[in-house]
Amino acid sequence: MEKLVNLCKRRGIVFPTSDIYGGLGSTFDYGPLGVELKRNVKEAWWREMVQYRSDVLGLDSAIFQHPRTWEASGHLKNFTDPLVDCKNCKQRFRADRIEGDKCPACGGELTPARNFNLMFKTFMGPVEDTAAVVYLRPETAQGIFSNFENVVDTQRVKLPFGVAQQGKSFRNEITTENFIFRTREFEQMEMEFFVRPDRAEEEKWYRYWVDFRFNWHVKFGIKREHLRAREHATDELSHYSSGTTDIEFLYPFGWGELEGVAKRGSYDLDQHAKFSGKDLTYFDEDTKTRFRPWVIEPALGVDRAMLAFMLDAYDEDVVDNEERIVLRLDPRLAPIKVAVYPLLRKAGQPEKAIAVRDALKRHFTVAYDQAGSIGRRYRRQDEVGTPYGVTIDHQTMEDDTVTVRDRDSMAQDRVPIARLVEVISDRIGWTRPAAAEPV
Ligand code: GAP
């Protein structure tokens, strides 16, 4: 993990927030390369979860929701962690994360556990009184439930169907840990999949989404042996869930949650109907009945997904007797897709290389590098995961061909400049079809 954290800082992937002020406990910013990686992870999810399918629609709801939302959803009452304080050193811990009844830092006596609500509170408007209290959303899901009627009324949807969204969520976690694994501000990608209220239907789609999500991680580069699906025990379930499977990843600190797939039943729609006085039912044309559908929810953290992709991509090997760090990211996720290099800084090669860079830039994220030996330039790109390197050499000046180097095999082949966009697009592979939907 430490090696990855160093690489992320050194190469502009992840910076500590407010670095110039000494940081702000476990809060992180994404640098020029990190923001590209993050966009690609979100793109990989959006394509496979929304755009390539015909049964899922997108949404983008506000971070602030009406405060009644959180009463209805149960977050105000139940979204808590047990907190203990050390009477001696004053540190705070999550009671369920420590062993024994003494302070893990100094061995001091601990206070009895009390529930601590994880929602961040603030005020909307200029008056800071109880009537103005609003919360930063702790999950994106509630914006989907509160828009259920809007989507059904405007989109001619038919069960089963899903509504997906990506966006920031906030939790005032008692303890943060492990780089970008657990932070107080993070981004989620969630989808609420509405099905008929029927146990067999619910089970079918629950299994389907656990498999689909598991395979998505593998498809974009997580090693199968580093993933497992773990069903929650009854005492672990969230207040809204009647069954949850965590897709866990083998982090350097052990197995931990990467994504959760939960059965939420009609809990949320029932609660919002009760608190808002709205009907929130769905009219089923086939049976001419009205009911509130049940929900299966796959929920993934963008930052946590990025961490897992980077951890599994991180590799060190030896090339020409020199150690190299290489991030073997799936080309679709790589922040920079192509690096363009003139072999020499003369003979018209830099000018030609800049023209190639500018042509490629309309299609891909591109880096240009003419500093140092070609071997060093390759290494610089290998460690940030750039999958392809295009080199302009003396032959380019004669026949308009370039070499294309592959990050992983290091093989090089000659390609006419006129075909570069097509060749690189094919290799990146965004156009590969998604898994078919069941009918
Ligand atoms: N709507 C359901 C829900 O929010 P969750 O298991 O609490 O479920 C879903 O969160 C995912 O969001 C987690 O699997 C994880 O990837 C991510 N996540 C949750 N809390 C996080 C935190 N404090 N920091 C980073 N990611 C977090």
Side-chain angles (χ1 to χ4, degrees):
M1 184 77 113
E2 212 176 302
K3 285 181 177 176
L4 182 67
V5 175
N6 288 339
L7 174 69
C8 284
K9 173 91 203 278
R10 185 159 52 78
R11 296 304 308 270
I13 301 174
V14 183
F15 300 130
T17 293
S18 305
D19 213 3
I20 57 169
Y21 293 104
L24 175 71
S26 308
T27 311
F28 296 94
D29 297 340
Y30 293 99
L33 298 191
V35 68
E36 295 293 340
L37 174 60
K38 195 180 199 197
R39 287 169 68 105
N40 294 338
V41 169
K42 288 165 69 177
E43 177 77 15
W45 190 92
W46 196 258
R47 285 187 186 224
E48 303 267 335
M49 296 294 284
V50 183
Q51 291 178 335
Y52 291 170
R53 305 184 63 94
S54 46
D55 57 356
V56 179
L57 302 165
L59 185 84
D60 188 8
S61 70
I63 285 170
F64 294 127
Q65 302 279 312
H66 193 287
R68 296 274 281 167
T69 308
W70 310 112
E71 273 180 68
S73 69
H75 283 82
L76 215 45
K77 187 158 161 242
N78 300 314
F79 198 55
T80 56
D81 276 339
L83 168 75
V84 287
D85 291 287
C86 173
K87 290 182 180 169
N88 182 40
C89 72
K90 310 291 178 216
Q91 286 199 58
R92 295 186 147 177
F93 304 94
R94 255 177 78 169
D96 57 339
R97 289 285 168 89
I98 54 177
E99 282 168 19
D101 55 2
K102 294 279 177 243
C103 170
C106 75
E109 196 187 334
L110 297 171
T111 59
R114 62 185 191 282
N115 283 335
F116 173 76
N117 194 289
L118 300 185
M119 284 198 293
F120 278 96
K121 245 189 223 178
T122 186
F123 301 96
M124 187 164 263
V127 183
E128 298 197 355
D129 65 12
T130 45
V133 167
V134 287
Y135 300 90
L136 301 189
R137 67 180 175 199
E139 61 170 11
T140 63
Q142 294 306 323
I144 298 178
F145 296 122
S146 57
N147 275 294
F148 176 76
E149 201 171 77
N150 287 336
V151 172
V152 169
D153 287 351
T154 58
Q155 304 299 316
R156 304 177 67 86
V157 284
K158 203 165 181 308
L159 288 179
F161 70 89
V163 180
Q165 79 165 323
Q166 304 181 328
K168 288 262 171 133
S169 291
F170 303 83
R171 296 183 188 177
N172 200 1
E173 302 277 0
I174 296 169
T175 49
T176 52
E177 56 197 341
N178 298 313
F179 194 33
I180 53 174
F181 175 79
R182 187 184 309 283
T183 51
R184 297 191 174 99
E185 172 178 348
F186 55 99
E187 206 160 341
Q188 289 186 308
M189 308 189 274
E190 303 197 288
M191 196 268 287
E192 309 305 316
F193 197 74
F194 299 95
V195 303
R196 280 172 196 289
D198 168 273
R199 287 268 167 252
E201 189 73 357
E202 179 188 49
E203 198 56 28
K204 177 178 110 184
W205 285 104
Y206 179 53
R207 297 287 152 215
Y208 169 84
W209 283 111
V210 170
D211 284 356
F212 188 96
R213 296 302 313 147
F214 193 102
N215 291 329
W216 180 89
H217 293 285
V218 174
K219 182 170 184 174
F220 287 94
I222 302 292
K223 298 186 175 101
R224 197 172 274 279
E225 64 273 22
H226 290 169
L227 281 180
R228 69 180 186 194
R230 188 185 66 82
E231 193 114 20
H232 277 205
T234 326
D235 63 352
E236 275 182 273
L237 293 172
S238 313
H239 61 275
Y240 51 72
S241 170
S242 65
T244 296
T245 296
D246 277 351
I247 299 176
E248 294 190 331
F249 177 71
L250 187 56
Y251 300 92
F253 50 87
W255 288 100
E257 178 181 347
L258 175 57
E259 166 156 17
V261 183
K263 293 184 203 171
R264 292 181 83 126
S266 59
Y267 173 83
D268 301 272
L269 290 180
D270 290 346
Q271 287 292 102
H272 286 303
K274 194 165 128 195
F275 278 73
S276 68
K278 297 280 192 288
D279 183 48
L280 307 188
T281 56
Y282 167 88
F283 181 70
D284 185 39
E285 292 288 350
D286 299 341
T287 56
K288 308 287 181 217
T289 53
R290 282 197 166 275
F291 51 81
R292 294 198 189 99
W294 289 1
V295 168
I296 310 296
E297 175 201 65
L300 172 64
V302 179
D303 316 76
R304 215 174 268 192
M306 287 175 72
L307 177 62
F309 284 126
M310 287 194 286
L311 283 166
D312 258 12
Y314 187 95
D315 197 11
E316 292 171 351
D317 62 5
V318 176
V319 177
D320 300 333
N321 293 324
E322 245 189 79
E323 277 194 13
R324 107 173 148 147
I325 295 173
V326 52
L327 269 194
R328 300 189 193 281
L329 289 169
D330 183 288
R332 290 167 292 187
L333 301 187
I336 299 168
K337 308 293 187 218
V338 201
V340 178
Y341 318 99
L343 187 61
L344 304 174
R345 286 167 70 171
K346 57 183 184 186
Q349 290 183 19
E351 292 76 9
K352 187 79 179 171
I354 284 169
V356 170
R357 174 199 68 183
D358 290 346
L360 293 179
K361 256 192 164 297
R362 297 173 65 94
H363 304 269
F364 317 108
T365 44
V366 185
Y368 175 81
D369 191 357
Q370 61 173 32
S373 75
I374 192 75
R376 276 187 167 261
R377 287 184 267 167
Y378 288 156
R379 302 287 173 278
R380 276 201 283 271
Q381 292 301 323
D382 288 344
E383 71 172 8
V384 293
T386 307
Y388 309 111
V390 165
T391 305
I392 278 70
D393 57 14
H394 65 278
Q395 194 176 326
T396 312
M397 309 311 287
E398 286 162 17
D399 65 5
D400 260 355
T401 64
V402 291
T403 60
V404 179
R405 171 186 180 269
D406 183 277
R407 173 196 71 202
D408 296 331
S409 67
M410 289 176 287
Q412 304 202 24
D413 50 348
R414 283 208 93 81
V415 173
I417 290 174
R419 288 199 54 229
L420 258 186
V421 169
E422 176 197 336
V423 166
I424 292 170
S425 295
D426 278 357
R427 291 186 192 176
I428 292 171
W430 267 125
T431 50
R432 258 177 270 163
E437 293 160 34
V439 276

